[in-house]
Amino acid sequence: MAGHAAKTPVCVLGLGLIGGSVLRAAAAAGRVAFGYNRSADGVNAAITDGFDATAELDTVLQRAAETGALIVLAVPVPALPTLLDHVRRLAPNCPLTDVTSVKSAVLDDVTAAGLAEKFVGGHPMAGTAHSGWPAGHAELFVGAPWVISVDDHVDPTVFAAVLDLILDCGSVAVPARSEEHDAAAAAISHLPHLLAEALAVTAADVPLAFALAAGSFRDGTRVAGTAPDLVRAMCEANAPQLVPTLDRAMELLAAARESLTADGSVAELANTGHAARTRYDNFPRNEIVTVVVGEEDWRRELAAAGRAGGVIRSALPVRDSR
Ligand code: NAD
């Protein structure tokens, strides 16, 4: 479609909270947007709301192949291999992205399906505790960071197409390598889930605790309200990164326990914890504008910029080397 002004169509596979919101946001941005959902309930709800949806996976993928659509995988990790098998058979040349909360495991699945060349992973850092089509809305991603992968295999043209969708959804893009994303997600999302569960269990054992519980307990256990299946899916798919992160947190707690027992002091953890949180409060957010997608070292430069707090707020120049 070179020289054509129309934006790349979007084909969303899985019309739950996230996929349903991507479909709405892409349509709101003026794109041709259509989707597939496994359950008829989700499909009917989407159609009733005026969107283009079907429960026929093969039909939707044929249409994606014919229109050169950007395919968005928006299902849980365990559902990916089957879906990727269909994509490989029916739409292997379409640009491909995902919204999954782990990145290395998904890249492995995509590579196993032989689709890595067309794939640039993504992860919108937005969501709610609700699920399914009715929970979604077009503004879900506005202002939120959305990770875009800059792994070694990433193609400049596919990267630009995925970035364009992220910006159309109102998000800011944060470039990151898959394994770095997963290490960060283990620390800022998956560990907090496990700590929240442990905190809730600990308090539940203390007779008067719930009667007195206030802000600290509410904030510290908020994510323990998440459906156990979702917590398991996130944490278990990221085990290689979560295990060393848990080790680190347990090491810190063990040291605090030891010094509290021996010297009556938690000074070390209180001081280092406060200092780390202060660094977070002052963390810079700069706009990335100087990197040219497709030029030598562009992936490494973007990964470094993302690590330093850089975000992409508008399209970057692209130089396709092919
Ligand atoms: P959801 O439950 O609202 O939607 C999941 C969708 O996947 C539904 O359309 C469901 O029909 C479909 N699905 C499930 N199993 C399937 C299968 N075997 N075959 C075909 N389709 C199947 O969940 P969601 O929150 O939209 O999560 C979708 C993805 O988004 C997940 O990979 C999750 O990691 C990611 N994500 C979630 C959040 C969040 O806060 N909920 C945030 C960012 C990313």
Side-chain angles (χ1 to χ4, degrees):
M1 301 252 291
H4 201 285
K7 290 218 178 204
T8 310
V10 174
C11 169
V12 183
L13 305 182
L15 301 177
L17 167 69
I18 302 295
S21 297
V22 172
L23 186 76
R24 290 173 174 97
R31 300 208 188 211
V32 172
F34 50 99
Y36 152 84
N37 198 65
R38 183 181 53 162
S39 77
D41 278 1
V43 171
N44 292 335
I47 292 173
T48 303
D49 287 347
F51 293 89
D52 193 340
T54 173
E56 301 291 329
L57 180 56
D58 286 4
T59 312
V60 92
L61 287 174
Q62 275 153 11
R63 183 174 171 196
E66 281 159 18
T67 57
L70 169 60
I71 297 175
V72 182
L73 304 162
V75 297
V77 176
L80 284 174
T82 309
L83 220 51
L84 286 167
D85 195 48
H86 286 264
V87 174
R88 183 184 51 75
R89 277 195 300 108
L90 295 163
N93 298 317
C94 286
L96 183 65
T97 188
D98 76 318
V99 296
T100 321
S101 54
V102 294
K103 299 272 52 78
S104 297
V106 173
L107 180 56
D108 289 347
D109 284 346
V110 170
T111 303
L115 292 166
E117 206 180 310
K118 290 284 176 183
F119 177 70
V120 175
H123 178 204
M125 309 299 288
T128 70
H130 304 285
S131 60
W133 172 269
H137 60 98
E139 287 81 36
L140 181 66
F141 309 110
V142 172
W146 186 319
V147 173
I148 181 166
S149 128
V150 284
D151 298 309
D152 296 336
H153 75 275
V154 163
D155 173 80
T157 307
V158 180
F159 179 90
V162 174
L163 177 59
D164 198 22
L165 176 63
I166 292 172
L167 296 173
D168 269 0
C169 289
S171 285
V172 297
V174 179
R177 292 180 60 85
S178 287
E179 76 278 7
E180 286 192 63
H181 164 278
D182 289 354
I188 58 129
S189 172
H190 307 153
L191 177 66
H193 273 282
L194 295 186
L195 292 177
E197 314 285 10
L199 183 53
V201 172
T202 306
D205 292 341
V206 179
L208 189 60
F210 288 169
L212 303 188
S216 293
F217 182 76
R218 263 200 313 275
D219 291 350
T221 58
R222 182 179 61 79
V223 294
T226 308
D229 283 352
L230 288 180
V231 177
R232 288 193 54 189
M234 280 188 293
C235 293
E236 292 169 9
N238 199 24
Q241 298 290 351
L242 182 52
V243 169
T245 306
L246 260 179
D247 285 344
R248 175 67 178 138
M250 284 160 62
E251 182 193 335
L252 290 165
L253 289 173
R257 181 191 187 282
E258 206 173 296
S259 80
L260 183 60
T261 312
D263 316 322
S265 171
V266 293
E268 176 75 16
L269 186 56
N271 290 332
T272 53
H274 185 263
R277 169 68 204 208
T278 304
R279 271 181 61 205
Y280 162 71
D281 288 335
N282 298 320
F283 193 69
R285 274 269 175 235
N286 307 312
E287 182 172 355
I288 301 171
V289 286
T290 55
V291 180
V292 178
V293 174
E295 282 204 336
E296 200 185 342
D297 262 357
W298 69 280
R299 302 179 194 85
R300 203 183 47 78
E301 280 176 29
L302 283 178
R307 220 176 280 131
V311 296
I312 305 169
R313 295 185 190 279
S314 53
L316 294 174
V318 183
R319 203 183 61 116
D320 197 338
S321 47
R322 284 156 213 223

